[in-house]
Amino acid sequence: MTSTDLYLPRGTAASAEYAVDIGPKRAGWTYGALRVVELPPGGGHTFITGDSEYIVLPLEGGCTVRIEESEFQLLGRDSVFAGATDFAYAPRDARVQIASGAGGRFALAGAKCERRLPARYGPAPEVPVEQRGSGGCARQVRNFAAADTFACDRLIAVEVLTPGGNWSSYPPHKHDEHRPGEECELEEIYYFEIEGGGLGYQRVFPSRAGGADVLAEVRSGDVVLVPDGWHGPSIAQPGHAMYYLNVMAGPGETREWRIRFHPDHTETTGGYR
């Protein structure tokens, strides 16, 4: 893939129903998907999950989510910068209805999967919030559907909030090879929002000949796809916090997040440790 295939400015990944509409076919891979639906006051949206599991994640506003016979009231949040939100899990082969009295924006993070798990509600107070890194690499990670926090078949999804002027996704790391106990294969989507109309930068560079290579100026609504390669840093403009939603999935028999750091960078200088 070229950099123009992997960096998708706001609007370029839209469809008639979604502000962002990325499935495996659009991304050029096998598992991961992300949609963002925008609803006016009193609006609704219905979709069929098909061969994929999904999490309905409020970005702005609240909604009611009906999944077959189950119904969940999502309080949501004012914005992605306001804190963690509650969410709903929808299994594969299900009909999902979303309705919002006040309107809002809702991410549908998905992954092609095999097992059909039960529909469930994820309360905001139970989302593990991790303060990762230090100094200029400090950031907040909301592990709402990390591999060890919320049961899914293949989907892994987290949110990262990076203060203005800081780096995150650092040190550069990758997860594009199967190395038992060390690294696993995961496709990854980055969906960005920048506070106050600011900007940020995202780097992806090759781990193999002809691999992914992106240096993008990112703004709210932009997407970067990471099919392979070292990725990071994600850099926030001073005075403008950066949010990104990471959606990951891969072929491993075990759902896990194992990464390898770039050998030219250390793990101990304000990064993941």
Side-chain angles (χ1 to χ4, degrees), residues 175-229:
H175 39 69
D176 58 14
E177 294 181 83
H178 176 60
R179 294 170 173 247
E182 297 181 37
E183 183 181 354
C184 57
E185 295 179 68
L186 291 170
E187 308 156 351
E188 185 164 16
I189 300 170
Y190 278 69
Y191 166 79
F192 294 90
E193 296 200 6
I194 312 294
E195 189 176 36
L199 56 86
Y201 289 90
Q202 176 67 41
R203 182 71 169 116
V204 183
F205 55 101
S207 60
R208 63 189 71 164
D213 195 349
V214 178
L215 174 57
E217 181 177 293
V218 295
R219 299 176 183 271
S220 290
D222 291 359
V223 172
V224 171
L225 306 178
V226 186
D228 57 71

Side-chain angles (χ1 to χ4, degrees), residues 3-87:
S3 60
T4 54
D5 297 317
L6 301 178
Y7 167 54
L8 306 174
R10 181 175 182 171
T12 59
S15 65
E17 292 185 292
Y18 299 107
V20 173
D21 191 356
I22 298 170
K25 184 176 180 180
R26 174 67 176 84
W29 56 37
T30 304
Y31 297 99
L34 175 66
R35 300 168 177 167
V36 175
V37 60
E38 299 179 342
L39 298 181
H45 177 68
T46 299
F47 71 101
I48 305 298
T49 59
D51 62 2
S52 298
E53 58 188 346
Y54 281 91
I55 282 178
V56 180
L57 182 79
L59 300 174
E60 180 181 344
C63 64
T64 300
V65 181
R66 186 171 182 82
I67 306 167
E68 304 296 350
E69 301 304 316
S70 300
E71 185 171 290
F72 308 106
Q73 301 291 333
L74 303 188
L75 297 177
R77 53 190 168 184
D78 292 336
S79 79
V80 296
F81 301 101
T85 182
D86 52 356
F87 60 93

Side-chain angles (χ1 to χ4, degrees), residues 255-266:
R255 175 176 170 255
E256 58 183 351
W257 183 72
R258 292 189 180 274
I259 62 175
R260 190 151 62 100
F261 294 103
H262 194 283
D264 292 344
H265 299 260
T266 68

